[in-house]
């Protein structure tokens, strides 16, 4: 269901809808905050995770729809603005800034620089939603408040997040300072890493990138999966140079197979779900688990028409618990496929 359809369902029973929205059926948000020693004016805005941001047409982050609905109710009752968006014609530039709040410890977060307010954000999530490691990072730095209407709330102080981000990047810069050009891993080599340095297209990082692969699905990776590769979460990410004139976007496709090469799972990594953006370079990324009966994994770049995108660069498949640091010949630094020095 979309947020709109969920609210539409409730409009069929207007008295319930009104009472639910105004907190007449459960503890209100002002009452919850008061009980925990806060009030609405202690916060500057609401942030909901998984980060919901729809309206620019270029980026569509639409997981956690019911959580967004509940967070909207919280914002209404507390009379607070929302960092999330669910509105038509949201600007591209604003969208590209806002989504980085959900990009994990190594994304630069303009929200922290553009807003000088030191008050915390009311950070929340629907208790049945699953959060990925980048989203969990925010909650690990926040103070627990409580829950109502199945929405769990925390206080996230921007200065604490800013300091943690800065310390994380500085640690990586120190490591990179002692590196030669290339990659290093904290624990184990990545499952796959391609810098596309042999390409002759303008690069995002390194010496080159691959031109757009059009008209047919293109196989990028074929990996045999053993027990070590099945353990824990995996993240797959790549940087794609997308067009700057329309909403169309490229996508990656993951196919998993059993030992007899029978497909057991297929998933997509759309670039318009990016939470790290450098002008029109979008980082397409997704966390996923590999099933126990998976023996082979393939990754495809799906066919697109001309001018949907122009290049692909920096394709990385890694264990989510690992840290991969890269340094190119120009001294630029990446960590887990996020650029921290350009």
């Amino acid at each position: 269901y979309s947020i709109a359809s969920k609210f539409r369902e409730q409009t069929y029973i207007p008295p319930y809808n009104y009472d639910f929205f105004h907190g007449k059926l459960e503890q209100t948000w002002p009452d919850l905050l008061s009980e925990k020693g806060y009030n609405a004016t202690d916060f500057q805005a609401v942030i909901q995770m998984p980060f919901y941001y729809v309206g620019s047409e270029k980026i569509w982050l639409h997981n956690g729809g019911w959580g967004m609905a509940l967070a909207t109710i919280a914002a209404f009752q507390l009379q607070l603005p929302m960092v999330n968006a669910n509105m038509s014609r949201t600007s591209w530039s604003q969208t590209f800034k806002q989504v980085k709040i959900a990009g994990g410890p190594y994304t630069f977060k303009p929200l922290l620089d553009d807003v000088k307010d030191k008050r915390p954000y009311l950070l929340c999530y629907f208790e049945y939603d699953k959060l990925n490691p980048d989203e969990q990072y925010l909650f690990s730095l926040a103070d627990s408040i409580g829950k109502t209407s199945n929405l769990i709330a925390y206080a996230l102080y921007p200065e604490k997040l800013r300091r943690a981000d800065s310390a994380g990047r500085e640690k990586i810069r120190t490591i990179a300072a002692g590196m030669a050009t290339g990659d290093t891993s904290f624990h184990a080599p990545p499952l796959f890493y391609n810098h596309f340095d042999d390409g002759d297209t303008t690069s995002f990082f390194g010496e080159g990138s691959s031109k757009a692969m059009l008209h047919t699905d293109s196989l990028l990776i074929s990996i045999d999966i053993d027990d070590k590769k099945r353990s824990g979460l995996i993240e797959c990410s790549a940087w794609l140079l997308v067009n700057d004139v329309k909403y169309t976007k490229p996508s990656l496709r993951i196919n998993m197979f059993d030992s007899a090469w029978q497909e057991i799972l297929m998933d997509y990594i759309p670039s318009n779900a990016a939470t790290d953006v450098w002008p029109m370079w979008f980082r397409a990324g997704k966390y996923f688990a590999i099933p126990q009966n998976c023996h082979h994994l393939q990754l495809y770049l799906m066919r697109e028409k001309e001018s949907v995108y122009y290049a692909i660069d920096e394709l990385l498949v890694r264990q989510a618990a690992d840290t991969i640091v890269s340094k190119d010949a120009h001294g630029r630094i990446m960590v887990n496929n996020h650029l921290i020095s350009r």
Side-chain angles (χ1 to χ4, degrees):
Y1 288 143
S2 66
I3 291 177
S5 66
K6 286 179 181 291
F7 276 117
R8 199 158 46 238
E9 284 182 0
Q10 293 190 355
T11 61
Y12 298 140
I13 41 175
Y16 174 85
N17 182 60
Y18 180 90
D19 289 346
F20 180 73
F21 202 82
H22 287 265
K24 296 181 180 295
L25 304 177
E26 297 179 278
Q27 185 180 35
T28 66
W29 280 96
D31 286 347
L32 173 64
L33 292 189
S34 177
E35 180 183 281
K36 302 297 182 179
Y38 298 94
N39 60 60
T41 58
D42 292 331
F43 296 88
Q44 59 174 298
V46 175
I47 301 176
Q48 171 264 346
M49 293 287 164
F51 196 66
Y52 192 103
Y53 210 94
V54 171
S56 72
E57 310 293 339
K58 196 64 175 178
I59 286 184
W60 288 78
L61 297 174
H62 52 79
N63 291 324
W66 186 235
M68 176 63 174
L70 296 176
T72 303
I73 292 173
F76 169 77
Q77 290 183 10
L78 297 169
Q79 295 296 285
L80 289 172
M82 297 189 73
V83 175
N84 307 79
N86 185 38
M87 60 183 291
S88 182
R89 302 297 181 244
T90 304
S91 77
W92 283 13
S93 60
Q94 179 179 334
T95 298
F96 298 167
K97 286 183 175 184
Q98 300 294 76
V99 299
K100 291 186 177 185
I101 194 66
Y106 301 116
T107 58
F108 290 93
K109 301 176 177 64
L111 179 65
L112 300 180
D113 299 323
D114 293 349
V115 179
K116 305 305 180 184
D117 197 327
K118 295 183 179 180
R119 292 177 297 169
Y121 294 99
L122 187 70
L123 179 68
C124 54
Y125 73 98
F126 178 46
E127 65 177 329
Y128 299 111
D129 280 339
K130 293 182 178 180
L131 302 177
N132 69 37
D134 294 336
E135 296 154 352
Q136 292 169 6
Y137 168 72
L138 297 178
F139 288 91
S140 73
L141 297 170
D143 298 333
S144 177
I145 296 175
K147 74 172 180 178
T148 185
S149 298
N150 300 113
L151 195 69
I152 300 174
Y154 288 70
L156 176 65
Y157 289 83
E159 185 57 32
K160 186 176 182 180
L161 175 58
R162 187 182 293 109
R163 288 198 305 267
D165 281 4
S166 179
R169 287 194 292 266
E170 189 58 34
K171 176 182 177 181
I172 298 302
R173 290 191 185 101
T174 300
I175 292 169
M179 287 174 53
T181 300
D183 310 314
T184 191
S185 170
F186 282 16
H187 301 293
L191 277 69
F192 184 89
Y193 206 168
N194 190 346
H195 294 289
F196 296 101
D197 284 341
D198 294 333
D200 57 1
T201 308
T202 301
S203 68
F204 177 74
F205 180 84
E207 300 305 311
S209 65
S210 175
K211 292 180 180 178
M213 305 172 194
L214 306 174
H215 311 305
T216 185
D217 293 355
S218 300
L219 178 64
L220 300 175
I221 304 172
S222 186
I223 304 173
D224 293 332
I225 302 298
D226 56 26
D227 288 341
K228 289 184 179 180
K229 294 173 183 175
R230 292 189 197 96
S231 61
L233 277 180
I234 303 295
E235 190 198 25
C236 176
S237 61
W239 286 90
L240 295 126
L241 181 59
V242 305
N243 76 83
D244 62 356
V245 294
K246 51 188 176 182
Y247 66 88
T248 51
K249 82 326 177 171
S251 294
L252 303 172
R253 188 184 77 238
I254 304 169
N255 296 86
M256 301 188 201
F257 305 88
D258 64 16
S259 58
W261 282 95
Q262 295 298 308
E263 185 175 87
I264 56 176
L265 187 65
M266 179 174 66
D267 202 357
Y268 296 93
I269 309 177
S271 61
N272 68 347
T275 55
D276 199 359
V277 179
W278 288 78
M280 299 312 294
W281 282 99
F282 283 23
R283 183 185 186 273
K286 176 169 282 191
Y287 291 94
F288 59 93
I290 297 178
Q292 287 300 308
N293 61 335
C294 175
H295 288 259
H296 310 282
L297 182 149
Q298 292 186 334
L299 182 72
Y300 288 84
L301 185 55
M302 298 179 66
R303 66 181 181 274
E304 291 293 348
K305 297 178 181 178
E306 298 281 351
S307 301
V308 169
Y309 76 106
Y310 308 111
I312 178 173
D313 201 3
E314 303 306 309
L315 173 58
L316 173 63
V317 184
R318 68 179 181 95
Q319 298 280 354
D322 205 353
T323 302
I324 312 295
V325 181
S326 303
K327 182 178 180 180
D328 71 8
H330 307 284
R332 296 174 296 189
I333 304 164
M334 294 191 81
V335 54
N336 293 347
N337 219 7
H338 292 282
L339 189 64
I340 65 169
S341 177
R342 188 162 177 78

